[in-house]
Amino acid sequence: MTTILGLDLAVWWFLVVGAVFTGYAVLDGFDLGAGAIHMLFRKEASRRVALNAIGPVWDGNEVWLVIGGGTLFAGFPVVYGTVFSAFYVPFMLFLVALIFRAISIEFRSKEPMAWWRKMWDWSYSVASIVVALSLGVVLGNLIQGLPIGADREFHGTWLSFLNPYALLVGLTTVALFAQHGAVYLLLKTENRIYARLTLIVRQTLRVFTGLYLLLSVATLWYVPHMLAVFRQQPWLFAVPLLTLALVLAIGRFLKRRRYFPAFVCSGSIAALLLLTVAAGLFPVLVRSTLNPAWNLTVQNSASSPKSLSIMLTMAAIGIPLVATYTSFVFWVFRGKVRLDSASY
């Protein structure tokens, strides 16, 4: 079997898929978070500033979601088919919310009427929350496992997704993105909205910290299989410990008004949480709650070695290009938001 630096191609592709979805969580996470707290701004000018803070980057950040879906389909088509058929209803809700978020941003400033703008403000905020909640619920169910049969088909109902643990993961995701978005907006704003955000960001951090600790306890109690790899490889405990250290560091940076380090910590927390999940599940991609022999793993659900080799080469070229473009956009639109006639 072909290996690169001691890892076979399927494992490398697992790392690629994980890296792309992590990029999406970090980048679109603050967009969704800014939307989640949007209705906490009372003034029209403040809401316009908040929208224009993410205006140049939100649609580009969604590209990482498209790439993530493509890499999952290319590398692990069995997982793609099983997961998307199992989560058909949640994914449809997720896509509808994504659509409404986009049209809310674009339509809001097309008319001057107060009722028109307030309607799209609510649409934008609710859609952002639904997107974040849906992502968290899907992740929570993947952590617990799904009723996957020997035929690699989902043997359950979509209502089973709305279980307490998955909903807790969903709420924690919303809270994480909300504080991530609040920190980002602090970097991009000034005056009235800036003062308002200094209060909001502390509230979102408290809510996330509480939910994160509650989720940690719930995972230890209800999802014990996530601990197996940590018992076998104790050094992996460094990942959740580092996550907790970053949560505490955000509070210190906020007190000192050092918002860029706080933003880096916030994004790193999202990445480390996904790394913790990946480490706890690996080599399983989708755990079967019916029979462990029916788990979908990195090895039994991957594409052929030749396909993986070709696509890995394409990913090595394409993903850095997207990352470079994303960095360029952030560099061009750096600095504080200034409203003008072309603003949302």
Side-chain angles (χ1 to χ4, degrees):
M1 182 177 292
T2 303
T3 62
I4 302 175
L5 299 178
L7 300 177
D8 63 45
L9 294 176
V11 175
W12 275 108
W13 201 253
F14 170 78
L15 295 175
V16 169
V17 172
V20 172
F21 278 114
T22 299
Y24 172 73
V26 172
L27 293 173
D28 207 30
F30 69 75
D31 294 341
L32 295 170
I37 64 174
H38 188 69
M39 296 309 296
L40 297 179
F41 306 127
R42 300 187 182 94
K43 301 294 184 180
E44 162 72 9
S46 296
R47 292 178 181 176
R48 287 192 66 202
V49 169
L51 276 174
N52 282 276
I54 67 160
V57 298
W58 69 268
D59 48 354
N61 291 341
E62 284 188 357
V63 170
W64 289 88
L65 178 63
V66 178
I67 298 174
T71 55
L72 181 62
F73 174 73
F76 304 101
V78 175
V79 172
Y80 182 92
T82 300
V83 169
F84 275 78
S85 60
F87 290 107
Y88 186 82
V89 173
F91 276 138
M92 287 299 102
L93 179 63
F94 170 78
L95 290 175
V96 169
L98 271 183
I99 291 170
F100 268 91
R101 182 180 74 139
I103 62 176
S104 298
I105 294 172
E106 297 296 339
F107 284 6
R108 181 191 184 278
S109 298
K110 299 302 182 184
E111 297 290 344
M113 297 86 75
W115 66 266
W116 172 272
R117 297 191 171 194
K118 190 171 184 179
M119 176 183 69
W120 290 117
D121 282 336
W122 276 107
S123 174
Y124 166 58
S125 188
V126 171
S128 298
I129 293 172
V130 170
V131 170
L133 184 65
S134 300
L135 289 172
V137 168
V138 169
L139 181 61
N141 280 283
L142 288 176
I143 292 172
Q144 291 182 104
L146 301 173
I148 303 298
D151 55 0
R152 296 180 173 180
E153 294 291 335
F154 175 70
H155 295 271
T157 64
W158 69 270
L159 287 174
S160 64
F161 298 137
L162 302 178
N163 57 80
Y165 181 80
L167 289 173
L168 179 58
V169 177
L171 292 174
T172 305
T173 303
V174 174
L176 171 61
F177 286 173
Q179 67 92 20
H180 192 34
V183 176
Y184 177 76
L185 290 178
L186 278 170
L187 289 170
K188 302 293 291 182
T189 60
E190 53 191 357
N191 302 326
R192 181 190 295 272
I193 185 174
Y194 173 87
R196 177 69 172 157
L197 279 164
T198 57
L199 301 176
I200 292 174
V201 72
R202 296 186 184 280
Q203 295 168 354
T204 57
L205 181 59
R206 291 191 192 100
V207 173
F208 166 68
T209 302
L211 287 172
Y212 169 65
L213 294 175
L214 180 60
L215 178 61
S216 299
V217 174
T219 301
L220 293 173
W221 187 263
Y222 292 106
V223 199
H225 63 264
M226 288 291 291
L227 293 177
V229 68
F230 292 92
R231 293 194 184 99
Q232 296 168 6
Q233 305 287 340
W235 63 271
L236 285 174
F237 278 105
V239 178
L241 290 176
L242 179 58
T243 305
L244 181 58
L246 290 178
V247 172
L248 298 175
I250 290 179
R252 294 179 63 86
F253 284 131
L254 291 177
K255 287 181 180 179
R256 299 176 182 178
R257 298 191 176 185
R258 298 180 61 190
Y259 299 126
F260 182 74
F263 180 71
V264 173
C265 288
S266 182
S268 299
I269 288 170
L272 288 172
L273 288 174
L274 289 176
L275 179 59
T276 303
V277 173
L281 291 177
F282 184 83
V284 176
L285 295 174
V286 181
R287 178 175 175 269
S288 173
T289 56
L290 302 179
N291 189 331
W294 300 336
N295 289 344
L296 300 182
T297 68
V298 169
Q299 300 299 335
N300 68 18
S301 59
S303 298
S304 67
K306 185 174 182 179
S307 296
L308 290 175
S309 178
I310 295 172
M311 292 183 298
L312 193 60
T313 302
M314 296 174 64
I317 298 172
I319 293 177
L321 289 176
V322 176
T324 301
Y325 167 77
T326 301
S327 301
F328 175 74
V329 171
F330 275 93
W331 173 255
V332 170
F333 292 98
R334 66 191 183 279
K336 302 292 185 179
V337 173
R338 299 286 189 276
L339 297 179
D340 55 34
S341 58
S343 299
Y344 286 109

